[in-house]
Structures are given as C-alpha cells and as structure tokens.
Amino acid sequence: LGVLLIVFTISHFMPGDPVISVLGTEFTEEEYVAKKHEMGLDKSYFEQFFNYVYKLVTRGDLGTSYATSQPVANEIHNRIWISLAIGVLGLLVTALIGIPFGILSATKQYSVWDYSVTVAAMFFASVPGFWLALMMMIVFALKLRWLPASGITTWKHYIMPVLCNAMMSVASTTRMTRSSMLECIRQDYIRTARAKGLSERTVIYKHAFRNTLIPLVTIIGGSLPGLFSGALITETLFSIPGIGYISYQSMVAGDIPFT
C-alpha cells in the first residue's frame, strides 16, 4: 500500500497531461473535458487514489493504460510469461553453477580452485548488470556472431539474457555455499562421519551438503519476487517484451493507469 501511494503520487504530480497524450494535438475544448471526465482525471487527488485502490481491491482492476488504451492486467498477462521463463531459467543456472562451485571452493580451501572461484564470484557480484549485458552483446553477438543480440523468438535468444540475469545471483550463491559448507565440515558430526570410515564424497554430499541447503533456500527464495517483476535492465537492453521492458517503456512515456 505504501509503494502504491508513492507511485500514484509521483505519477499524479509529474509534468504532462495524460488527456492531451491520448487526444493528440487536434481536439476541441468539449472533447478535452469529455475525455478528462471519462478518464476520471477531473476528480481530486484523493478521490482518484481512493477509486483506484477500491477497484483494485474489490475487482482486481489495475486500471487502463492511456498510452495503449488497454487494461493493465491484460498487458501484464501477455508479458509476464516471458519474464517468468527468463527468471526460472536464471534460477536453474544459479543453482547449477553457484552451488557446485561453492562446494568446490570450500572443499579445496586455499587452493588455486578456491582463489579462482572467489575472484570470479567477487567480479560478477561487483560489475553492473548493464555493463555485463553490453559486453556479452559485443563479444557473442557482434564479434563472434554466435548468438542474436535482441528479441526472444528462438532458444538462442534466451542464452545471453538468462546468463546476464543470473550471474549476480550465481556470485552470491557461490559465496554463501562456500561459507556454509566451510562451517558445516568443521562440525563434530562431520568428524564422526569421517571417523566411521565413510568416503569423503558421502561425507560432503550426504551429511554436510544437506545442512548447507538451509541458508541457500533462504537466498533463492528471496529472489522469487524478481520472477514476477522482470529484469528491467536485461529486458530493455536485449529488447525482450517482458514485464521489465514494458515497465521501462511506461516510465519513459509517463504512462499511468486510469479507471
């Protein structure tokens, strides 16, 4: 509710007239007044906010975009599946890369593998997402011509956006897996398992790894809301028609929903 109030307030008082944006440059005073009444913009700020919240809560009505004249719910429904696909694939990449490398770094502590994984994780955790996306486009799309630079029509179009979207999460998952695994393998029950003659593989993956999953589930669960909001930077740079991209377009156009 707080976020809704802030966004609604900013949209209400920002420069520009939504009525003129809808009607264009040629209209009469009567047409302007009629359209303003139709959009509900002739009401006070508090009336507009109350009406919007009331319809949102009672009907699930997110309003109508004045830029496209389409219900916002339909716009989200048409695009959310693309963002979900990229987000789910990003989670899979995060788990498939971050967890194994975190385990490797912990079991090979202070080795070349450990230092290499740590440096790589710090690098990907530090670089901006837009820079990484641009570098991937320059190398894999422009120079090597292995992958397409924009769009989302074939499976190849998913590779760069998914990797770009996942690398920061991969870095944090790797570091968390390493620290959790190091803490687990120093516990007494791990020493007992080794003293019983169990193989190192069994000790690591059957005993230590299970307890390592507890903080990892928390981290992965915290990234789930991002699946529904989309990745604004990634989708915009790769021209992917997802939730993030339409959010960017709406902000640039000053688009606000009306009821």
Side-chain angles (χ1 to χ4, degrees):
L1 185 60
V3 172
L4 178 61
L5 176 62
I6 293 172
V7 174
F8 190 90
T9 303
I10 294 175
S11 301
H12 182 82
F13 291 104
M14 67 187 304
D17 191 338
V19 181
I20 296 178
S21 300
V22 173
L23 294 177
T25 56
E26 298 181 359
F27 56 87
T28 64
E29 184 67 25
E30 291 77 13
E31 291 175 335
Y32 179 86
V33 173
K35 177 59 69 173
K36 189 172 184 178
H37 177 74
E38 176 188 339
M39 298 173 67
L41 298 178
D42 56 342
K43 299 181 176 63
S44 67
Y45 162 78
F46 294 102
E47 288 180 295
Q48 293 182 45
F49 181 71
F50 176 79
N51 290 337
Y52 184 80
V53 174
Y54 177 77
K55 292 181 180 181
L56 176 64
V57 174
T58 58
R59 308 177 193 172
D61 186 1
L62 296 173
T64 303
S65 168
Y66 77 75
T68 61
S69 299
Q70 297 294 323
V72 175
N74 291 348
E75 296 280 353
I76 294 176
H77 179 269
N78 295 334
R79 298 169 184 263
I80 194 172
W81 306 110
I82 298 175
S83 296
L84 279 175
I86 294 176
V88 170
L89 291 173
L91 279 180
L92 292 176
V93 171
T94 298
L96 293 176
I97 297 179
I99 294 178
F101 275 98
I103 296 175
L104 176 65
S105 180
T107 54
K108 306 289 186 181
Q109 188 179 17
Y110 302 131
S111 66
V112 175
W113 285 104
D114 184 23
Y115 291 128
S116 300
V117 171
T118 301
V119 170
M122 293 177 62
F123 172 78
F124 285 110
S126 303
V127 297
F130 71 89
W131 181 87
L132 182 60
L134 291 174
M135 291 301 103
M136 294 177 68
M137 293 172 67
I138 292 173
V139 174
F140 297 108
L142 297 180
K143 299 295 183 181
L144 300 178
R145 299 185 181 276
W146 289 351
L147 300 171
S150 62
I152 200 76
T153 54
T154 66
W155 64 270
K156 289 185 177 181
H157 289 83
Y158 284 88
I159 296 178
M160 284 198 296
V162 168
L163 288 177
C164 181
N165 202 25
M167 289 316 295
M168 187 173 294
S169 298
V170 167
S172 61
T173 301
T174 301
R175 291 184 297 169
M176 179 58 71
T177 303
R178 179 185 183 276
S179 60
S180 299
M181 180 63 71
L182 286 174
E183 183 178 351
C184 287
I185 61 180
R186 292 167 182 166
Q187 299 297 320
D188 292 338
Y189 69 90
I190 297 297
R191 297 192 188 95
T192 302
R194 286 170 174 162
K196 290 165 61 177
L198 297 178
S199 64
E200 188 66 16
R201 183 182 183 86
T202 302
V203 171
I204 295 298
Y205 290 99
K206 187 175 180 180
H207 295 277
F209 180 61
R210 289 183 177 180
N211 291 302
T212 303
L213 285 175
I214 297 174
L216 290 179
V217 170
T218 304
I219 292 180
I220 295 176
S223 62
L224 290 179
L227 299 182
F228 299 93
S229 61
L232 188 147
I233 295 177
T234 303
E235 292 181 4
T236 301
L237 289 176
F238 289 103
S239 300
I240 299 172
I243 296 297
Y245 186 44
I246 192 177
S247 300
Y248 168 76
Q249 289 180 317
S250 299
M251 286 187 292
V252 171
D255 188 11
I256 56 174
F258 63 89
T259 55

